[in-house]
Amino acid sequence: MLAALLVLAFLGVWQAYTSIGGPGELILPSPLQIGEALIDDRDLLWDDFLVTATEVGLGVLCALVVGFVAAVALHRSPLLRRATYPLLVGSQAVPIVVLAPLLVFWLGFGLGPKLAIITIICFFPVAVTTLDALDRTDPDRRKLLRTLGASPRQVFWWAEAPAAAPAALSGARIAVAIAVIGAVLAEDSGSNSGLGHLLKQSNGQLETARAWAAVVVLAAFAVTLFYALVLAERRLLPWAARPGGSPR
Amino acid sequence: MLAALLVLAFLGVWQAYTSIGGPGELILPSPLQIGEALIDDRDLLWDDFLVTATEVGLGVLCALVVGFVAAVALHRSPLLRRATYPLLVGSQAVPIVVLAPLLVFWLGFGLGPKLAIITIICFFPVAVTTLDALDRTDPDRRKLLRTLGASPRQVFWWAEAPAAAPAALSGARIAVAIAVIGAVLAEDSGSNSGLGHLLKQSNGQLETARAWAAVVVLAAFAVTLFYALVLAERRLLPWAARPGGSPR
Amino acid sequence: GSKEDDIAGTPQTQKLTLMLDYFPNADHAGIYAAQASGAFAKVGLDVDIQTPSDPSAPLKLVEAGRADLAISYEPELLLARDKGAKLVAVGAIVNKPLTSLMALGKEKITRVEDLRGKTVGTAGIPYQAAYLKTILEEAGVPPEDVKTVDVGFNLVPAMISGKVDATLGAFWNYEGTQLQREKKDPDIIRMETVGVPTYDELVVVASEETTKDRGALVRRFFQALRQGTEQVRADPAAGVTPLLKANPDLDRGLQEAVVRKTLPVFFPADDEDPFGYMDPSQWRAYGRWMLDRGLITKEIDPTSLTNEFLPGAPIGNEREGLD
Amino acid sequence: MTTRSDAGAQTPTATGAPGGPGAVRLDGVAFAHRPRRGGPVPAVDGLSLHAAPGEVVALVGPSGCGKTTLLELVCGLVAPDAGTVAADPAVLMPQRDQLLPWLTALDNAALGPRLAGVGRDAARTAARPLFERFGLAGFEQARPDELSGGMRQRVAFLRTLLAGRPVLCLDEPFAALDALTREELRAWLAGALATEPRTVLLVTHDVEEAAVLADRVLVLSPRPARVIAEVAVDAPRPRTGTDPAVLEVRSAVLEALR
Amino acid sequence: MTTRSDAGAQTPTATGAPGGPGAVRLDGVAFAHRPRRGGPVPAVDGLSLHAAPGEVVALVGPSGCGKTTLLELVCGLVAPDAGTVAADPAVLMPQRDQLLPWLTALDNAALGPRLAGVGRDAARTAARPLFERFGLAGFEQARPDELSGGMRQRVAFLRTLLAGRPVLCLDEPFAALDALTREELRAWLAGALATEPRTVLLVTHDVEEAAVLADRVLVLSPRPARVIAEVAVDAPRPRTGTDPAVLEVRSAVLEALR
Ligand SMILES: Nc1ncnc2c1ncn2[C@@H]1O[C@H](COP(=O)(O)OP(=O)(O)OP(=O)(O)O)[C@@H](O)[C@H]1O
Ligand SMILES: Nc1ncnc2c1ncn2[C@@H]1O[C@H](COP(=O)(O)OP(=O)(O)OP(=O)(O)O)[C@@H](O)[C@H]1O
Ligand SMILES: [Mg+2]
Ligand SMILES: [Mg+2]
């Protein structure tokens, strides 16, 4: 309740700021103008949302798989870690502008390069948090499982993976939140639809209210994905849930 | 040693790929061409690097502070969490294109908007990992400290903060790795120097090898920052270091 | 170029990937009109229109063979050729510079001289920085009297927020129309009027290989594109409809206004010239300017452009070569 | 003395008890754990316990009967579902030592003074002699995971003593120690309490230990815990396990437990 | 039987001992911990220990002398710096229970069979009767942090028994249990070993417990651990704490410890 009031207050201040000066609606529309755009352009937003949602959904899946697999591989093999971890870190410094033509060359103009871009952007938080958590596994726990007859694979599944799961899910939540912006960047090239495309077109046409409406949809989508993972965590890792049960 | 060989093999494959076909040097130069550009343009790269390094350094500092403070605040106040956490998540979905004009309006063309962009991009992993780790503090530890007479603030500094520190540093390492690309995005507007600016210019002039040389410098910088934090963690949190001591 | 094929005996449909220079907009109205009216299909082309990640990507992807044709800019093409790219301009779709110096009415910048002591926003493109220098020199304004700042693609917002007094890089047909519609009363100075040699802002680019082996493809493309562009000229309102249909996020009012304004430069100034005609002597002059400014390293090559695939153009380049 | 009744907030305890610092008073207290699945688990029910300042009360009872829960109630870490809890500031020595992994053994022991505002060096100086007294010399700089089980327990014991609170809640303080070390620590504790009395609630499975150290031994029922017998130990101190009075108390308690 | 000598890899143990499954043989073993700061801490030095299959050997010694380290050597979790360790597959019951927080109490107990490839339901079915036998009925679905200290220890004990390995290394298995429960479990263990013999290395601080359960009691020196006395227990089973032979062993061991 109080939380809703705080959010309303935030919107109120914004509205007031735009009406008494502010940078003008071409740069920052008021919440009411954005709301209007949301309603007027709902068909357009919905169609583009479906496109972007598909990209994000598939991209996040790829990113999670790549992130987890990378973390496990680097955790298992110190050699691999020394050789490839710096490259993975470095991959985060490669801007889309130099990457995009290469991806188009390799993967064509379809969904391929978009998924690749989302994956490159999103796998990293998952890989880092998961790897760190795997490294932090209590060595005594590993020892215990070995005396109980566990193979290295079993040690992983019974002790290391569950212990690393909460941190991995922190990484996954970061990933889903930034996947949306990843899709926007990915739609820079080779797309004729999607919220990112809409956003840039609207921005280019000074339809700023519509651009912000697209931002609102994107943000709502990111928040939804984020909290969906919070809920999933409660179900998947009941033992890790805080007794207080306060939402993350 | 073996790791160095693996990296060399990677470069070798790349070199071979570019010489027997590949997408052409306008899209993907060979390692040798990039190396040449690194040497030929070293003065240019160095000057621009200094600019970008300043932005990244200050931006990362801001991001770390904002991320930690946000995590602590949301951890302390469930009300604040309900009201603002979704907004923080949503902030990750706001693309630079709509943000940049606003930041320029507020902060002009100087360092201000660049720090703001880097902060917005980088605070998030820090905030999420730190908040999650704070939430996961063992309640028994909290209880113990209270019976020892600790105030809530002392419980935080003596029990919660150290317990959350390793996860927070995971987040910080993600943050420094992506700060570099944040600077590149930030230099898209309102800058006349910096590696991002150089990269954009070189790319626009089809000086692809120089653009990739800038990418190499950026990546090396990201990797350096990342491993600097790994070393810092060993010093700051000796109790959290793995006995094996394998590099993270 | 190969001359064996002609359009009359239309063979089976061929796929053609066309990369735009930027997001779809009014400059591309003729392309979408050709697409929608079936002009491309009639010449046996199945055109796949793609947008690039940044304006340099189309040339790279044509060079790499991932796109058959790309829309680019004359200066960009000359830069690419200077870098050794085997690319050729095969026709213009806008025959004049669009890049302009622009300022909001309230800034009272109507002449280049008015820039003295002002801040100019640029898109961070080196040859446009050279434009600014050229026009300032031409007007006798010392370049150090003008502050420049690279605002990326935020030219219009930078003006609106009052952080720059003028910009160099916005298109008179697009941003100019936009600002007029927003009642910002822009003052626009076109480059070719203040000392920059004229050039073809938007050109269609193909690889040398394509011009050698698949000239018919290009020829058919231009034939259809002329039909599409003529439909737009005949009825601009109806002409932009296909563009809007394909890109529902575009605003009809704005795009139609832009198209009306751009119509004159969609066609060569001289009616004698075929659609898409590029004037080699103008190219030569512009190339020399680029060389003088240190933007390129050598005189441009006559094979940088060819008009041989244009509708109504004689086969071959003999009409008026560069030399 | 702070009073907490049902539905009271889980505030830390405060000082200032009538009748001297160290009084503990539980009246008709009930508490049930609420596990994540399944119904509530009543751990304490209708339990009353009064300890005068300076008194040593031993609590014995079957495993899982609610002893740890009882100490948490006394320390104000959980609020009772019914009844009232009034206790002076109490420090808990938990069953699992709960040493902080980021502090050295010495700093763990000196935690109480540090939290009370004593400077780092002063706190360490205060802890060091006891460290040696307890056979931990040479391990001041060791991290908790570099200590043996019994060493950890001794550090935790030290931390509890140094916290300087009027009430000590000791949850099996000597369970991980060998017979000799245990006896030594017991003797030390008895001596320390003689010179500087504190109220002690001692949970132990070692009935002999209870008889040697306590003024009174309370026998608790199986879950939920209630006091089912109270045995006073009327023997002069220092006592040993072979004193007749101690043996007598021992058999009385064992009898009550059965 | 797997042999590990100095600098040997820390491989898990393997089966196939000459002389029946369950033999343990340590000869002149030395091991020093290497803490993060400071020099090495010798925990075991020149220690030899032979246990025949089916034998129950109790280990007593002062806190911190190296008992836990010794069990880790036997289980192959650390490699000796010198000497040889040869032991059949041994399962460890650690001093701190190490229950897995993501498994229920029942699943923790049934972990050994699960790891050996037994299906979930079959493993649970195998564990359930013992669960009840050990007074844990009703807590099958509880998570470890919802159990009392003694309940956790019982679950860990159960997990160790169910692992089905020829050698059991028990590190203070009953330290957190009250006298009655402890006696019950002891009796149960003695009975179980009688019907199905296993080699047991029992670390305990309770000398009586050592005397009641073991065939032999080894007394270890203070750190670094060496065997300083060996007391054989020649009394028929079942024994109780008041058997004269047990009392005799008890005082002999206490004497050796002093
Ligand atoms: N956090 C919890 N959630 C749910 N149930 C709990 C929790 N803590 C304890 N219990 C239950 O409460 C009962 C009493 O636990 P408590 O720890 O007080 O026992 P105890 O007397 O200390 O036992 P022990 O001697 O074995 O340590 C037990 O049945 C236990 O399962
Ligand atoms: N991981 C470690 N790093 C460094 N030193 C250690 C480590 N583990 C144990 N030690 C040291 O080795 C010695 C023996 O430890 P160990 O745990 O084997 O003793 P213990 O006989 O089991 O004692 P207790 O009865 O108190 O459990 C101790 O002095 C301890 O400080
Ligand atoms: Mg307890
Ligand atoms: Mg031990």
Side-chain angles (χ1 to χ4, degrees), chain C residues 62-189:
Chain C
V62 169
E63 169 83 353
R66 281 297 180 268
D68 302 300
L69 297 177
I71 298 179
S72 186
Y73 314 86
E74 178 179 334
E76 295 266 354
L77 173 74
L78 293 178
L79 274 168
R81 286 192 56 98
D82 195 56
K83 299 276 169 327
K86 301 197 167 9
L87 297 171
V88 184
V90 293
I93 62 173
V94 168
N95 294 57
K96 279 274 184 267
L98 293 174
T99 305
S100 359
L101 182 70
M102 205 174 286
L104 300 190
K106 63 178 163 88
E107 306 288 350
K108 302 269 178 289
I109 295 174
T110 53
R111 303 168 311 148
V112 178
E113 287 84 345
D114 298 333
L115 287 178
R116 219 184 285 268
K118 303 281 185 185
T119 301
V120 178
T122 68
I125 299 170
Y127 62 79
Q128 293 185 354
Y131 290 173
L132 183 59
K133 233 169 141 223
T134 301
I135 63 174
L136 289 175
E137 281 167 11
E138 204 75 15
V141 180
E144 55 280 10
D145 282 5
V146 177
K147 232 185 112 205
T148 63
V149 56
D150 174 0
V151 296
F153 290 108
N154 292 312
L155 294 166
V156 171
M159 281 189 278
I160 289 170
S161 63
K163 296 293 165 178
V164 297
D165 304 303
T167 60
L168 193 149
F171 284 0
W172 53 258
N173 67 333
Y174 200 82
E175 283 88 346
T177 307
Q178 221 169 38
L179 286 174
Q180 261 155 15
R181 286 165 55 85
E182 294 290 338
K183 307 270 182 302
K184 301 285 185 190
D185 188 22
D187 287 310
I188 295 167
I189 300 171

Side-chain angles (χ1 to χ4, degrees), chain C residues 1-3 90 211 219 305-311 313-317:
Chain C
S2 65
K3 301 161 190 184
V90 293
T211 59
R219 199 184 306 280
L305 72 159
T306 173
N307 287 309
E308 69 170 302
F309 306 113
L310 299 178
I315 304 297
N317 220 4

